[in-house]
Amino acid sequence: SQQGEEDPQALSIQEGENATMNCSYKTSINNLQWYRQNSGRGLVHLILIRSNEREKHSGRLRVTLDTSKKSSSLLITASRAADTASYFCATVPSGTYKYIFGTGTRLKVLA
Amino acid sequence: DAMVIQNPRYQVTQFGKPVTLSCSQTLNHNVMYWYQQKSSQAPKLLFHYYDKDFNNEADTPDNFQSRRPNTSFCFLDIRSPGLGDAAMYLCATTLNGTSGRYEQFFGPGTRLTVL
């Protein structure tokens, strides 16, 4: 399977703390994207990092990419209860327009 | 607002009774995707259209078919639903799609229950 893996599978933190989740993938990629999914809803795009980038910021989000290790991490700083959701990484293998999703991290932020 | 719309949001069908799920988009994106997502799992790609070109994933059951009559609409037909087909079905779109340079836009999903 081409599916990526994420860890941890589940993460529970207090409001105000930082949350870090990691993604590993298997193929050469054009870019890697992170999505959020609230319970029972569709996915929402958070941030995209290209294969020639190493770090990217968007508001309270920070994404890193290490193509030599085929891994990425998503950091959410100063978490809020509203950040409670599942987070998925998605990779786009080179030469394709298919999106391969990781297994996801379920984040719970306690107020 | 430009968006991806899925109807119905909830669908209940009986074992073996054909069902059609629909997706429409106002984004004028040329690539459309159908995913199956079971509880606490990642979305699993079933097939996608690049313009009118249909691309089936190797492990998508024959029971699942799709139609895209025009840019805006895409349908997922499940010919004989089994209990294992109960899931959330997600439609997504992206622009251009060449090398996947762009983000995907998802609809809210249709939750299918098979009795």
Side-chain angles (χ1 to χ4, degrees):
Chain A
S1 168
Q2 288 184 310
Q3 187 174 52
E5 293 189 4
E6 291 181 57
D7 76 89
Q9 288 189 341
L11 180 61
S12 187
I13 59 174
Q14 295 291 326
E15 209 167 27
E17 293 180 339
N18 296 342
T20 300
M21 49 205 90
N22 304 294
C23 167
S24 61
Y25 57 92
K26 298 180 180 179
T27 64
S28 297
I29 61 171
N30 288 302
N31 66 60
L32 184 144
Q33 303 175 27
W34 286 90
Y35 289 80
R36 183 184 73 207
Q37 185 178 34
N38 290 88
S39 181
R41 302 290 188 93
L43 283 75
V44 175
H45 180 263
L46 294 176
I47 193 166
L48 179 155
I49 186 166
R50 303 189 191 286
S51 59
N52 61 354
E53 296 176 313
R54 291 296 167 258
E55 188 170 313
K56 200 161 183 181
H57 296 253
S58 177
R60 293 185 295 114
L61 305 179
R62 173 178 167 254
V63 170
T64 62
L65 178 64
D66 187 335
T67 53
S68 66
K69 294 182 179 177
K70 290 187 167 59
S71 68
S72 174
S73 67
L74 171 67
L75 169 68
I76 303 173
T77 60
S79 63
R80 305 165 182 167
D83 295 329
T84 295
S86 291
Y87 292 81
F88 294 93
C89 66
T91 53
V92 183
S94 300
T96 78
Y97 36 90
K98 298 201 305 185
Y99 295 72
I100 309 297
F101 283 86
T103 49
T105 294
R106 292 189 303 281
L107 173 66
K108 187 169 187 178
V109 181
L110 304 170
Chain B
D1 287 340
M3 57 198 325
V4 181
I5 301 164
Q6 289 188 246
N7 285 305
R9 292 292 312 277
Y10 301 91
Q11 177 73 58
V12 180
T13 191
Q14 293 181 334
F15 183 96
K17 186 174 181 181
V19 67
T20 294
L21 310 182
S22 74
C23 176
S24 63
Q25 54 128 339
T26 60
L27 298 161
N28 204 32
H29 285 173
N30 60 331
V31 192
M32 293 187 78
Y33 304 79
W34 278 106
Y35 292 89
Q36 179 192 65
Q37 186 180 28
K38 297 190 176 180
S39 182
S40 300
Q41 294 184 19
K44 177 178 177 295
L45 182 63
L46 295 173
F47 22 60
H48 66 282
Y49 282 90
Y50 188 103
D51 294 324
K52 293 184 179 180
D53 292 336
F54 176 71
N55 297 271
N56 198 31
E57 291 302 296
D59 56 355
T60 297
D62 293 339
N63 205 19
F64 290 76
Q65 300 195 332
S66 183
R67 297 170 282 134
R68 189 180 186 187
N70 53 51
T71 300
S72 301
F73 285 87
C74 197
F75 300 96
L76 170 60
D77 301 308
I78 309 176
R79 286 190 297 185
S80 182
L83 298 178
D85 297 327
M88 175 77 89
Y89 290 88
L90 296 164
C91 173
T93 72
T94 193
L95 177 63
N96 195 10
T98 303
S99 300
R101 287 194 291 268
Y102 300 99
E103 66 188 89
Q104 283 192 310
F105 290 80
F106 280 82
T110 294
R111 182 164 298 283
L112 177 67
T113 300
V114 181
L115 301 177

